[in-house]
Amino acid sequence: MWNAEEIASQLAVIDGKEAPDLVITNATYLHSVLKQWKTGTIWIKHGRILYTGERMPVLTEGAELIDATGKWIVPGYIEPHVHPFQLYNPETFAQFAAQHGTTTFLADNLMLLMSLDQKQAFTLLDQLKQLPFSFYWWARMDSQTNLQNEAEVFAPERVAEWLKRDDVLMGGELTGWPRLLKGDPIMTDSLQKAKQLGKKVEGHFPGASERTLARMRLLGVNGDHESMTAEEAEARLLQGYAVTLRESSIRTDLKPLLQGILEKELNVFDHLMMTTDGSPPLFHDDGVMDKCIRIALEVGVDPIDAYQMASYNIARYYDIDELHSVIAPGRFATLNFLSDIMEPNPTEVLSKGVWLKRDGQACSEFNKADWSVFPEFAPDFDLMLEDVTATESLGIEMLNDVITKPYETTVDLSADRLEEDHDESFLALIDRNGKWRVTTVIKGFASSVQGLASSYSNTGDLILIGKDKNEMLRAFRHLKKIGGGIVLAENGEVISQLPLTIGGSLSDKPIEELSELERVFKNALRARGYDKGDAIYSLLFLQSTHLPYVRVTQLGVADVMRNKVLISKTER
């Protein structure tokens, strides 16, 4: 924001007593409120738009003058549903996203809640505010798994401290919404606090019935991003929801959703938003919100509607349009310069008055956050064969990337190694501090992975999978050596590793480097029988109780639908 001295200086530019910092001439720009392309001049001072119109400033000495002839200028894109911890960290993902024109995130705070105390987390948020990028946040109200200390982590007073921040715009997403329907007092208190503070609340309602949608709307939920068909999007609009359409690595729904809306001739594009839903690095090879805009343009959505679903519609819904997504006085000077209206990847990006990209090249690096506050991944314990040996025949069968069901195994659980003529493997969830374990078997993950160890998980606990218990232990020991990440071991050797040195969960590598590490790991996994869509999501969601039907959690193997622990954890 701007202090009194800066505002006085900005007014002096209008009065002809000072020069602006930047003047853009011959600008063809999208005016979001009028939904028209306008032409003229844009004046900028202290990262703020001062004037748009036909005039030139009285004084221009010292100002940067940009001739925008031949360019189309649109507001910087907003990603409204970011999980900024999918191997990358929020800062490296922002650096990458900005090169594709996405200059604002509304981001999940779940990993910050799980890993840091509130003071540390808020310090990180304040550091990220110093970037020429706009970070806004969610305030989670549930963990999407079974935590031993759920009541403590998501105590209403703690959630309220997040909601009181001006950069927290949303409560949710509510993955544990069935508890809310049952009158859970903790979640109810947090939701009511969000409403008192004027914050939006985002649901997570895949396949929800009309009755469920109505009930959740009455409880105060404003939006949902789980429409998988045009009919589901229409149903949510009918119930008064804000609808965000998704294109992610496990749900490539955006194209059929938009085609269905066009075929139904629903005149609702002013009320739709889009998201990539926090996909891993490889999915973003062709962009972030520009990827969504490109899909919209390709299926025939009007260009203005396509751009506004990734900018103004979001800003207006979250009540930040006084600062974002309108190219008019008073707003952040956050602009994307396009060479072609049909190509949303910008040639130049200006964010808060700072050039992040010029002539197709990055020209600013982000380096404000101190990620060393995350606890170092350095387990002070070792594992033995018994720690990865299941004792009950009940197992978890993967139906796709993320959906599972219970099944009965007939494999010899006491064996050190399983044959590779089937797709069953040993599975263990190990407490990050070595205090407990949950052991079972998993079917459908892969047919010939000997040993996999991952500190990347929903809770930061350790996931071990494999045909060979000794190779699982080898992968774990190498994981300790590299400070966390994902490791594959085979025949006495480590064959692939994806280091995640920030707390064992996040990488400090640029997205381009991280994407290549992800590619190599996934290729190695696929060569050993993983045939689902996205292994990163598979690892993340093994613990996620917002998905059916059975999960491995800190309390044990849990039946999600019956809210029952089927195999209890074992103390070590």
Side-chain angles (χ1 to χ4, degrees):
M1 299 298 288
W2 302 275
N3 58 37
E5 183 180 349
E6 289 170 328
I7 294 171
S9 177
Q10 292 162 356
L11 290 170
V13 174
I14 300 296
D15 294 338
K17 298 175 181 177
E18 287 189 27
D21 296 329
L22 174 63
V23 181
I24 304 170
T25 62
N26 300 311
T28 299
Y29 63 94
L30 175 59
H31 194 286
S32 303
V33 176
L34 295 174
K35 293 190 70 172
Q36 294 177 354
W37 295 100
K38 308 296 288 184
T39 58
T41 302
I42 302 171
W43 308 357
I44 294 165
K45 183 82 169 181
H46 302 308
R48 192 183 198 188
I49 298 172
L50 306 187
Y51 169 84
T52 57
E54 297 180 358
R55 295 192 299 116
M56 283 291 288
V58 173
L59 300 177
T60 59
E61 185 177 354
E64 181 181 8
L65 301 178
I66 299 293
D67 184 348
T69 300
K71 302 283 188 177
W72 302 80
I73 303 176
V74 296
Y77 312 140
I78 303 173
E79 177 34 292
H81 195 93
V82 184
H83 301 277
F85 308 105
Q86 301 289 53
L87 304 181
Y88 41 68
N89 68 66
E91 194 168 32
T92 53
F93 189 41
Q95 173 85 63
F96 173 83
Q99 297 307 303
H100 290 267
T102 300
T103 52
T104 301
F105 283 170
L106 182 51
D108 187 359
N109 73 330
L110 183 58
M111 187 163 287
L112 299 178
L113 279 175
M114 305 284 267
S115 304
L116 305 176
D117 64 40
Q118 200 164 81
K119 182 178 179 181
Q120 291 171 322
F122 287 178
T123 297
L124 266 181
L125 266 58
D126 292 339
Q127 290 168 351
L128 291 171
K129 274 186 173 182
Q130 299 174 39
L131 293 172
F133 190 95
S134 296
F135 271 97
Y136 296 98
W137 297 89
W138 318 350
R140 282 275 195 164
M141 300 176 183
D142 67 277
S143 66
Q144 73 183 36
T145 187
N146 293 339
L147 286 183
Q148 293 176 316
N149 61 339
E150 175 104 5
E152 175 188 344
V153 174
F154 295 94
E157 57 270 20
R158 293 191 68 187
V159 174
E161 290 304 308
W162 280 85
L163 289 167
K164 289 174 185 176
R165 287 185 61 101
D166 61 6
D167 53 354
V168 172
L169 304 182
M170 176 183 111
E173 59 181 309
L174 298 181
T175 52
W177 58 267
R179 287 165 37 200
L180 186 64
L181 281 181
K182 294 175 183 176
D184 180 86
I186 294 176
M187 190 176 286
T188 298
D189 283 355
S190 292
L191 189 144
Q192 289 177 341
K193 186 63 175 179
K195 305 311 291 184
Q196 291 166 6
L197 292 169
K199 311 287 182 170
K200 305 295 186 185
V201 176
E202 180 75 1
H204 181 101
F205 308 141
S209 67
E210 183 181 60
R211 181 169 177 262
T212 294
L213 291 172
R215 293 171 73 189
M216 297 306 297
R217 188 69 188 92
L218 291 174
L219 285 165
V221 179
N222 303 96
D224 181 68
H225 56 283
E226 289 292 329
S227 300
M228 290 176 265
T229 65
E231 289 72 25
E232 289 185 347
E234 184 178 13
R236 283 156 174 75
L237 290 167
L238 280 168
Q239 298 292 338
Y241 283 83
V243 172
T244 304
L245 307 178
R246 173 179 52 196
E247 178 73 7
S248 77
S249 61
I250 57 172
R251 296 271 1 155
T252 53
D253 293 330
L254 186 57
K255 184 176 181 179
L257 280 167
L258 291 171
Q259 288 174 328
I261 290 166
L262 288 169
E263 288 167 5
K264 283 175 163 286
E265 297 183 348
L266 299 176
N267 185 20
V268 296
F269 288 105
D270 283 349
H271 305 281
L272 298 175
M273 300 171 276
M274 300 187 289
T275 180
T276 58
D277 199 11
S279 295
L282 265 180
F283 181 75
H284 292 290
D285 275 356
D286 55 351
V288 186
M289 292 308 293
D290 57 316
K291 180 189 189 94
C292 294
I293 298 166
R294 190 175 297 110
I295 292 170
L297 293 170
E298 287 172 354
V299 302
V301 173
D302 180 271
I304 289 179
D305 285 327
Y307 285 101
Q308 302 222 141
M309 284 191 291
S311 57
Y312 180 62
N313 293 1
I314 302 165
R316 185 184 61 209
Y317 172 66
Y318 284 105
D319 299 320
I320 56 172
D321 51 318
E322 283 194 354
L323 294 174
H324 299 275
S325 296
V326 183
I327 302 177
R331 275 71 175 190
F332 283 124
T334 300
L335 310 171
N336 289 334
F337 294 69
L338 312 177
S339 59
D340 187 324
I341 195 174
M342 300 301 289
E343 177 44 70
N345 186 13
T347 55
E348 286 83 26
V349 176
L350 186 73
S351 182
K352 296 183 178 178
V354 177
W355 290 106
L356 302 183
K357 183 180 184 181
R358 300 197 74 167
D359 299 322
Q361 301 296 317
C363 55
S364 179
E365 289 193 12
F366 295 176
N367 186 26
K368 292 291 185 182
D370 177 13
W371 298 105
S372 68
V373 295
F374 273 76
E376 182 182 10
F377 179 80
D380 60 358
F381 60 90
D382 196 12
L383 297 177
M384 303 302 170
L385 290 177
E386 66 177 12
D387 290 311
V388 293
T389 299
T391 58
E392 300 187 38
S393 60
L394 179 71
I396 299 172
E397 181 176 359
M398 292 181 63
L399 302 180
N400 60 27
D401 314 53
V402 299
I403 304 301
T404 63
K405 71 174 185 178
Y407 85 106
E408 289 289 330
T409 184
T410 59
V411 302
D412 180 3
L413 299 177
S414 65
D416 288 350
R417 182 169 181 156
L418 300 176
E419 297 298 323
E420 294 186 2
D421 58 356
H422 59 78
D423 63 349
E424 293 181 74
S425 304
F426 302 116
L427 167 64
L429 179 70
I430 309 292
D431 173 41
R432 183 186 181 101
N433 298 310
K435 295 180 179 179
W436 51 261
R437 65 177 182 264
V438 180
T439 52
T440 183
V441 287
I442 186 167
K443 177 178 173 60
F445 181 80
S447 57
S448 58
V449 168
Q450 292 184 16
L452 179 151
S454 175
S455 56
Y456 175 81
S457 68
N458 184 286
T459 58
D461 297 312
L462 308 177
I463 295 171
L464 277 68
I465 299 173
K467 294 277 190 177
D468 188 318
K469 294 175 183 175
N470 285 297
E471 294 301 329
M472 294 165 70
L473 299 185
R474 187 185 314 281
F476 164 72
R477 288 162 187 156
H478 190 75
L479 190 68
K480 291 202 300 181
K481 184 177 178 180
I482 66 172
I486 310 173
V487 172
L488 278 174
E490 181 176 291
N491 297 331
E493 298 180 355
V494 171
I495 57 169
S496 181
Q497 61 182 27
L498 202 169
L500 300 173
T501 55
I502 300 175
S505 298
L506 311 176
S507 175
D508 60 357
K509 301 289 186 187
I511 298 298
E512 294 81 3
E513 292 183 32
L514 185 57
S515 292
E516 187 55 32
L517 290 170
E518 181 191 355
R519 189 190 315 276
V520 170
F521 164 72
K522 285 183 171 177
N523 286 344
L525 200 58
R526 192 165 295 280
R528 287 155 181 81
Y530 179 88
D531 61 0
K532 308 299 189 291
D534 195 328
I536 301 303
Y537 265 112
S538 293
L539 291 172
L540 182 70
F541 282 168
L542 273 175
Q543 297 171 272
S544 296
T545 53
H546 67 293
L547 295 165
Y549 289 93
V550 59
R551 301 286 146 178
V552 57
T553 76
Q554 291 186 352
L555 303 184
V557 176
D559 182 317
V560 172
M561 307 304 286
R562 293 188 293 164
N563 193 27
K564 180 181 178 182
V565 174
L566 305 176
I567 301 174
S568 297
K569 69 176 182 180
T570 300
E571 299 295 332
R572 295 183 72 246

